[in-house]
């Protein structure tokens, strides 16, 4: 078997400091998750489900909101294999982020050898959510003008849960005026009960460097006020610089709240449907670079409702350290192996030891189905596996805030 050199020979003072803070990563995490949360005087909470097509950037956005990398990220689809929770605690407010697998169908799940949880977890997350963020990759010109059928089914199944549209990777889009057209298509021209109209002035020369706002809000005059929602002045400012006009209320001002709200849709009703006309807000951002993520985070904090915290304020995720480790290593394997090859890799942790100075020693075996896959994973002169170990070791140090010595070996499954 090929082994990668140990990683993480950083300043020993970091490890010493870490040892004073915790006896064991796993024990400390278990203690924090099992003990009662440290409730503030007037706690508020918001459970957020992030859904979208595979590779839309859900895990990247979750990591940026958390401020640390705890969810795996890769250019390949289905990097996130199971439902995981991230926790943001700010003053008296706790946001619980449900980072779900990309919504997929049974045919694609079978092709990528995905677990059954990949099909059920996004739906389970929706059942417990107070708010749903629908993430769309605007850099993909094949899919950006319509929501996937799986996303539409999810929204139609839970129409009572408030939803927000998040357009991601806007920095990649050179023709910024297209954002307005995409937003109109994905919302069917309606946001928070108001009709959107794209001003002709917005369709200027594609070479123009006009900077569009990254937050669009439309609300009817008779809106039901959400605690902490933007003021009318803020909304008008957003509309003025967005190139979107307000129009008449959809459904009439005299209708009841039930009549004006989204109705439950049967799946047959979704044929030919491209957008969802019940989004409350639209945000435009670039999650990879953190652009406008703070704007979204402030909005989410304002939407929190009074209620007890679910986690201790020091908890960042409900994942165990071993799960975080597996996910980070798997992310690198996905990144460096071609096509479907990485989906057949099985990870087995052989050694997990924590030293007296807080450093972490990990040895993991990567089991592959074929000898040819083993050669690919090792690489010429061991370069591929060494690079995977180096990058994964660095990410683990950033996640655990201690020195990490990671060793990987590759074997063919017996």
């Amino acid at each position: 078997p090929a082994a990668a050199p140990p990683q993480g020979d950083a300043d020993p003072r970091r490890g010493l400091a870490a040892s004073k803070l915790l006896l064991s990563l796993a024990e400390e995490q278990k203690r924090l998750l099992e003990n009662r949360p440290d409730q503030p005087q007037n706690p508020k909470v918001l459970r957020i489900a992030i859904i979208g097509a595979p590779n839309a950037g859900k895990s990247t956005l979750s990591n940026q909101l958390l401020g640390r990398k705890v969810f795996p990220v890769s250019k390949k689809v289905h990097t996130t294999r199971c439902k995981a929770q991230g926790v943001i605690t700010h003053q008296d407010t706790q946001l619980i982020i449900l980072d779900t697998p990309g919504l997929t169908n049974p045919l694609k799940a079978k092709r990528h050898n995905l677990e059954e949880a990949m099909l059920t977890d996004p739906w389970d997350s929706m059942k417990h959510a107070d708010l749903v963020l629908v993430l769309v990759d605007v850099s993909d010109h094949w899919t950006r003008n319509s929501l996937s059928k799986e996303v539409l089914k999810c929204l139609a199944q839970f129409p009572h849960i408030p939803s927000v549209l998040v357009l991601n990777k806007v920095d990649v889009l050179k023709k910024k005026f297209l954002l307005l057209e995409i937003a109109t298509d994905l919302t069917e021209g309606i946001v928070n009960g108001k009709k959107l109209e794209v001003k002709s002035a917005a369709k200027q020369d594609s070479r123009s460097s006009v900077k569009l706002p990254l937050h669009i809000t439309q609300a009817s005059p008779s809106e039901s006020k959400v605690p902490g929602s933007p003021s009318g002045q803020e909304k008008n400012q957003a509309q003025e610089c967005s190139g979107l006009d307000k129009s008449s209320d959809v459904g009439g001002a005299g209708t009841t709240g039930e009549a004006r709200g989204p109705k439950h849709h049967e799946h047959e009703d979704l044929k030919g449907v491209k957008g969802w006309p019940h989004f409350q807000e639209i945000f435009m951002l670039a999650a990879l670079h953190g652009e406008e993520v703070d704007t979204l985070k402030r909005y989410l904090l304002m939407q929190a409702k009074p209620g007890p915290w679910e986690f201790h304020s020091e908890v960042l995720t409900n994942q165990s350290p071993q799960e975080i480790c597996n996910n980070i290593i798997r992310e690198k394997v996905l990144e460096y192996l071609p096509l479907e090859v990485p989906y057949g890799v099985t990870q087995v942790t052989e050694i997990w030891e924590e030293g007296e100075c807080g450093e972490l020693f990990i040895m993991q075996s990567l089991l592959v189905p074929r000898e040819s896959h083993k050669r690919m994973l090792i690489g010429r002169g061991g370069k591929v596996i060494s690079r995977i170990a180096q990058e994964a070791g660095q990410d683990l140090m950033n996640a655990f805030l201690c020195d990490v010595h990671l060793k990987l070996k590759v074997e063919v499954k017996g």
Side-chain angles (χ1 to χ4, degrees), residues 147-172:
L147 297 175
S148 73
K149 286 290 178 276
E150 285 74 23
V151 168
L152 283 168
K153 284 178 185 177
C154 213
L155 291 170
Q157 187 75 20
F158 303 93
H160 58 285
I161 301 176
S163 55
V164 171
L165 177 64
V166 179
L167 303 183
N168 190 24
K169 308 182 187 181
V170 298
D171 55 320
V172 180

Side-chain angles (χ1 to χ4, degrees), residues 274-347:
K274 291 186 175 182
W276 181 250
H278 307 297
F279 288 118
Q280 291 194 345
E281 308 276 352
I282 304 174
F283 287 85
M284 302 182 185
L285 48 79
L288 183 63
H289 306 294
E291 293 178 18
E292 293 301 316
V293 173
D294 280 345
T295 304
L296 175 61
K297 187 174 180 177
R298 285 194 297 272
Y299 170 81
L300 295 174
L301 288 167
M302 288 191 297
Q303 303 312 305
K305 305 292 191 298
W309 286 359
E310 291 186 23
F311 297 95
H312 191 279
S313 59
E314 293 180 21
V315 171
L316 196 65
T317 176
N318 67 337
Q319 299 174 89
S320 69
Q322 289 88 345
E323 287 173 324
I324 294 174
C325 176
N326 285 343
N327 285 334
I328 285 177
I329 293 172
R330 184 174 171 276
E331 166 197 314
K332 306 304 177 187
V333 172
L334 281 167
E335 201 65 35
Y336 284 103
L337 289 185
L339 304 173
E340 310 295 318
V341 174
Y343 298 100
V345 175
T346 302
Q347 297 168 250

